[in-house]
Amino acid sequence: MHLNKRVVVTGGCGFLGSHLCDRLVNQGHEVICVDNCFTGTKQNIRHLLDDPLFEFLRHDITFPLYIEADQIYNMACPASPIQYQHDPVQTIKTSVHGAINMLGLAKRINARILQASTSEVYGDPEVHPQPESYWGRVNPIGLRSCYDEGKRCAETLFFDYHRQHSLKIKVARIFNTYGPRMHPNDGRVVSNFIVQALKESPITIYGDGRQSRSFCFVDDLVDGLVRLMISSDEITGPINLGNPTEFSILQIAEKIIALTGSKSKIVFKPLPLDDPRQRKPDISLAQKKLQWEPAVPLEEGLKRTISYFDQLLLSE
C-alpha cells in the first residue's frame, strides 16, 4: 500500500518524465509536473491534464522554485545528443543550476530527492560492463561534455548536500531507455531506426554497426526509479538502472526491419566524435538493493514502440 504523497517531477513532459507521472498518478499520488517544454511536449501529458491528482507547471528549473512536496524526481535535462548540443550552455545550466535549485528546495521543505543521472557519466568506458564503482573516462571539453560533465557535477552536488545537510538523496544512473513518447527526431538509435523503417527510408548506422548498446523498456526503467525513491534512506546510490542484455547496433536495425516488414536498406556513415563503443550496465546492485531487474524482452518492447510511432506518423 502506498501512502499518498505530493510528488514533484521536473522534466515531467519528457519521454521518461511523462511515463513516471503516469505511474505516480496511477498509484494515487498527487503529482506536480514541472517543465519548460524545451524538449518535452505537453502532448505527452495531455491525457493527465483533467486528472484531479495532476497539475502542470511551466517553469525552467534554472530559476528557483517555491513549492511544497514530499518527494522530488529531478528528471529535467535535454537527453539526446541532438537536443543537448543544440544549446550546450543551457544544457549544463539545467544540470548544474537546476540541481542546485532543486536541492535547495528539498532542503527547505525536507523532501526526499532523486536525481536522474546517466550512464554518460562513465564516458567511453575502459571497464565492461560498468559498475557504479567505476569513475569513468570523460572528455571534459568535447561536444558531449555539456551533458556528461553537467550530470557528473549534479551527482557531486547531490552527495555534497547529503554530507553537508543530511539531505535524503537518491541517484539513478540511467542507461539507454526506449518506448512510446520518444521524440521522433532526437537522433537516438531506436526512434531513428523505427521512423526510417516505417517511412521505408534508408536506415543509417554510424560506424560499422558493431558498437553495442543495451536497451531498457521505459516501463521497467520507471519501476526502477520508483523502487529507488521508496527504498530505505541509507540507499543513496548511485545505482545503475538499465538492461544488461547487449545488442550490436546492426542487430537492432535488422530486428526493427523484420518487425516492421520494411524494405529499408541499411547504409553506413562515419562514427561521430566521442561516441562510446560499448555500453552495458552492471545491475547487480539494483538487483540486490531494490530487487529490480528489467522484465520486458526487446522484441515486445520494440513492438509497442513501433505501434506508437506508426500512430504518430499516421496522425501527421
Side-chain angles (χ1 to χ4, degrees):
M1 180 61 198
H2 297 273
L3 286 168
N4 294 2
K5 300 249 189 275
R6 198 146 192 247
V7 188
V8 170
V9 178
T10 73
C13 292
F15 159 52
L16 281 181
S18 63
H19 283 279
L20 178 60
C21 289
D22 282 346
R23 178 76 56 101
L24 295 167
V25 166
N26 288 339
Q27 288 180 345
H29 301 299
E30 211 182 309
V31 175
I32 301 158
C33 161
V34 176
D35 207 307
N36 65 348
C37 297
F38 177 64
T39 55
T41 156
K42 250 177 113 173
Q43 195 57 45
N44 288 341
I45 55 155
R46 178 147 290 154
H47 60 288
L48 290 170
L49 291 173
D50 294 330
D51 196 303
L53 289 174
F54 184 80
E55 193 180 330
F56 169 60
L57 182 62
R58 191 182 283 263
H59 177 83
D60 180 342
I61 62 160
T62 61
F63 298 95
L65 181 63
Y66 301 96
I67 200 167
E68 295 300 318
D70 305 301
Q71 296 175 346
I72 301 166
Y73 286 86
N74 188 32
M75 310 291 291
C77 190
S80 78
I82 287 179
Q83 292 169 344
Y84 61 65
Q85 289 167 13
H86 168 69
D87 189 344
V89 173
Q90 184 61 25
T91 297
I92 208 157
K93 274 185 175 172
T94 304
S95 284
V96 180
H97 293 188
I100 291 169
N101 287 330
M102 290 303 117
L103 287 160
L105 173 64
K107 180 178 163 240
R108 273 198 309 277
I109 62 179
N110 193 25
R112 182 180 276 212
I113 181 165
L114 180 145
Q115 166 68 359
S117 190
T118 168
S119 61
E120 296 289 342
V121 299
Y122 299 121
D124 189 0
E126 296 140 307
V127 175
H128 195 73
Q130 293 82 55
E132 291 85 352
S133 54
Y134 175 55
W135 290 356
R137 174 171 169 261
V138 175
N139 173 0
I141 57 168
L143 286 175
R144 300 169 75 109
S145 31
C146 59
Y147 185 68
D148 306 1
E149 295 290 29
K151 290 287 195 180
R152 284 164 71 100
C153 183
E155 285 197 14
T156 306
L157 284 160
F158 266 68
F159 279 89
D160 284 338
Y161 264 80
H162 174 63
R163 287 184 285 254
Q164 200 173 326
H165 304 296
S166 306
L167 198 63
K168 295 180 182 129
I169 65 157
K170 307 278 174 185
V171 174
R173 288 183 179 159
I174 298 171
F175 282 70
N176 283 26
T177 306
Y178 71 99
R181 301 186 204 151
M182 287 181 89
H183 200 289
N185 310 321
D186 71 0
R188 294 191 206 201
V189 174
V190 173
S191 47
N192 256 17
F193 288 179
I194 290 176
V195 170
Q196 288 169 338
L198 290 172
K199 290 182 168 171
E200 309 267 353
S201 330
I203 289 187
T204 43
I205 289 184
Y206 296 94
D208 59 9
R210 282 195 302 220
Q211 67 273 39
S212 70
R213 293 289 184 273
S214 359
F215 295 94
C216 186
F217 190 63
V218 62
D219 293 2
D220 283 333
L221 200 281
V222 165
D223 183 46
L225 292 173
V226 172
R227 281 174 189 239
L228 177 56
M229 179 61 99
I230 62 177
S231 63
S232 64
D233 286 352
E234 56 274 11
I235 301 175
T236 55
I239 246 174
N240 287 340
L241 294 178
N243 195 322
T245 316
E246 206 175 354
F247 294 93
S248 76
I249 300 293
L250 191 56
Q251 282 174 309
I252 297 282
E254 287 164 348
K255 217 176 231 320
I256 287 170
I257 289 173
L259 289 172
T260 51
S262 174
K263 296 181 179 64
S264 295
K265 295 277 178 279
I266 294 174
V267 293
F268 295 91
K269 296 199 168 169
L271 200 62
L273 212 59
D274 294 337
D275 193 57
R277 288 180 303 279
Q278 46 183 186
R279 251 310 143 60
K280 174 182 170 176
D282 176 336
I283 62 163
S284 39
L285 200 60
Q287 287 167 318
K288 188 168 133 221
K289 302 267 190 201
L290 310 176
Q291 285 69 57
W292 176 85
E293 60 186 335
V296 180
L298 183 70
E299 191 143 321
E300 185 194 324
L302 284 177
K303 281 179 183 162
R304 284 159 70 178
T305 313
I306 288 164
S307 111
Y308 166 79
F309 278 110
D310 210 13
Q311 292 297 306
L312 191 70
L313 294 174
L314 282 174
S315 66
E316 284 173 6

